[in-house]
C-alpha cells in the first residue's frame, strides 16, 4: 500500500531479519523483547523524521559554519495500554525527559464498542506533537477512540503520528478514512485479519508475548 501519510520503514534485509525473529512462534520471550525493542527504536527514529524543523546554523570546532536544522515544537508520547506501554522505553531512549501519557480503552461488552476506561495526558498536550504508541493496528477500534480522546484534549489531527510495528490493511484504511490528516509510521502492513481479529500472518498477541502473560 502506497499512501503519502503512511510512512513504511525502509524494507531492507535488516528489518526483514528483525521481523522474522519477532514473528516466529519459536522465538523465546527474551529475544522477542530484545528484537521488538530494536524495531521500536527504528520506528521512533523514523517518526522524528516527520516532525517539522527550522534552519539552524552552528559553528564547528573548525570555526566553519554548518547549515543545520533544529526541531520545531515539542513532542510527547501517548501509549495505548497495555501493549503500547512496551514502546515507551524506545521513545525515552531517543527523546530524553519526554512526557508520556496513557490511555486505557477496552471493548464494552454491552455495546461491543471501544470504551475509554482511563486517560492521563500531559496538561499542555494541545501544544505538542503526539507520537501515539500501539504495536499492532488490527481493526482500529481502540486507536480511533484514542484519537477522539486526543481531539477532546485539543490535539490537532495533523500533529499525531501513529507509530506501530504491524498494521492490517483494513485498520489502515479505516483510520485514513476517519482521520484524513493522521500520519502513520509502521514497519509492515500484513495481509489481513482472521475471524478473531488477529492480524495474519502477524505475530500473535504482542502484549502477551512482550509481558510474558500468555
Ligand atoms: N493485537 C495483537 O497483539 N495482535 C494482533 O494480531 C491484533 C491485535
Amino acid at each position: 500500500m502506497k499512501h503519502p501519510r503512511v510512512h513504511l520503514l525502509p524494507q531492507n534485509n535488516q528489518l526483514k531479519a528483525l521481523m522474522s525473529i519477532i514473528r516466529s512462534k519459536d522465538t523465546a520471550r527474551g529475544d522477542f523483547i530484545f528484537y521488538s525493542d530494536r524495531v521500536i527504536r527504528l520506528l521512533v527514529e523514523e517518526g522524528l523524521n516527520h516532525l517539522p524543523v527550522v534552519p539552524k546554523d552552528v559553528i564547528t570546532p573548525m570555526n566553519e559554519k554548518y547549515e543545520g536544522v533544529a526541531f520545531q515544537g515539542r513532542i510527547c508520547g501517548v501509549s495505548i495500554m497495555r501493549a503500547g506501554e512496551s514502546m515507551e522505553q524506545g521513545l525515552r531512549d531517543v527523546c530524553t525527559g519526554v512526557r508520556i501519557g496513557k490511555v486505557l480503552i477496552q471493548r464494552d461488552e454491552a455495546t461491543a464498542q471501544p470504551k475509554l476506561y482511563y486517560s492521563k495526558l500531559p496538561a499542555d498536550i494541545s501544544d505538542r506533537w503526539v507520537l501515539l504508541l500501539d504495536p499492532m493496528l488490527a481493526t482500529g477500534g481502540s486507536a480511533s477512540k484514542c484519537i477522539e480522546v486526543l481531539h477532546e484534549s485539543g490535539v490537532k489531527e495533523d500533529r499525531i503520528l501513529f507509530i506501530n510495528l504491524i498494521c492490517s490493511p483494513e485498520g489502515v484504511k479505516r483510520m485514513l478514512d476517519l482521520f484524513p490528516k493522521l500520519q502513520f509510521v509502521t514497519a509492515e502492513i500484513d495481509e489481513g485479519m482472521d475471524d478473531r481479529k488477529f492480524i495474519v500472518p502477524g505475530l500473535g498477541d504482542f502484549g502477551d508475548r512482550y509481558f510474558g502473560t500468555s
Side-chain angles (χ1 to χ4, degrees):
M1 172 192 284
K2 277 210 183 334
H3 190 286
R5 285 181 291 114
V6 178
H7 310 296
L8 269 184
L9 287 185
Q11 301 290 294
N12 51 33
N13 283 340
Q14 184 191 193
L15 179 67
K16 196 94 184 148
L18 297 174
M19 296 302 286
S20 304
I21 295 171
I22 65 173
R23 283 175 182 277
S24 169
K25 68 182 174 62
D26 298 325
T27 297
R29 181 165 168 241
D31 280 346
F32 183 81
I33 295 171
F34 182 84
Y35 291 101
S36 295
D37 287 349
R38 283 194 53 192
V39 179
I40 291 165
R41 174 81 180 238
L42 294 172
L43 288 164
V44 172
E45 296 278 10
E46 177 61 24
L48 298 180
N49 264 334
H50 299 283
L51 297 177
V53 291
V54 286
K56 182 177 178 178
D57 296 345
V58 295
I59 304 299
T60 74
M62 310 306 292
N63 276 327
E64 295 288 337
K65 186 169 81 174
Y66 173 78
E67 294 178 1
V69 296
F71 284 116
Q72 186 192 40
R74 293 175 304 161
I75 66 158
C76 70
V78 171
S79 64
I80 304 183
M81 293 161 74
R82 165 185 72 142
E85 292 174 300
S86 65
M87 302 174 76
E88 293 177 1
Q89 190 57 46
L91 178 57
R92 283 199 197 92
D93 288 345
V94 175
C95 308
T96 50
V98 66
R99 294 176 188 208
I100 300 184
K102 287 180 193 278
V103 176
L104 175 62
I105 292 160
Q106 280 178 338
R107 193 178 129 105
D108 182 332
E109 292 307 330
T111 63
Q113 295 301 314
K115 181 174 166 188
L116 175 69
Y117 282 87
Y118 171 84
S119 76
K120 189 79 185 168
L121 302 172
D124 57 356
I125 193 166
S126 60
D127 298 328
R128 292 177 182 267
W129 286 76
V130 176
L131 277 66
L132 179 61
L133 308 173
D134 195 5
M136 306 291 280
L137 170 64
T139 63
S142 303
S144 54
K145 181 75 189 166
C146 185
I147 289 170
E148 285 170 23
V149 173
L150 294 177
H151 274 160
E152 284 159 18
S153 302
V155 180
K156 293 199 190 74
E157 201 174 294
D158 58 2
R159 287 186 164 218
I160 304 173
L161 286 169
F162 185 24
I163 307 218
N164 55 66
L165 283 85
I166 301 179
C167 297
S168 77
E170 298 91 331
V172 183
K173 181 174 181 325
R174 177 175 178 191
M175 298 293 283
L176 289 171
D177 288 348
L178 284 174
F179 307 110
K181 292 183 179 161
L182 179 72
Q183 298 195 70
F184 283 83
V185 179
T186 190
E188 291 185 334
I189 300 177
D190 269 9
E191 285 161 21
M193 287 182 288
D194 69 5
D195 47 12
R196 294 183 309 143
K197 305 298 180 200
F198 271 81
I199 299 174
V200 284
L203 51 66
D205 188 306
F206 188 96
D208 278 349
R209 293 188 69 189
Y210 197 95
F211 295 113
T213 47
S214 53

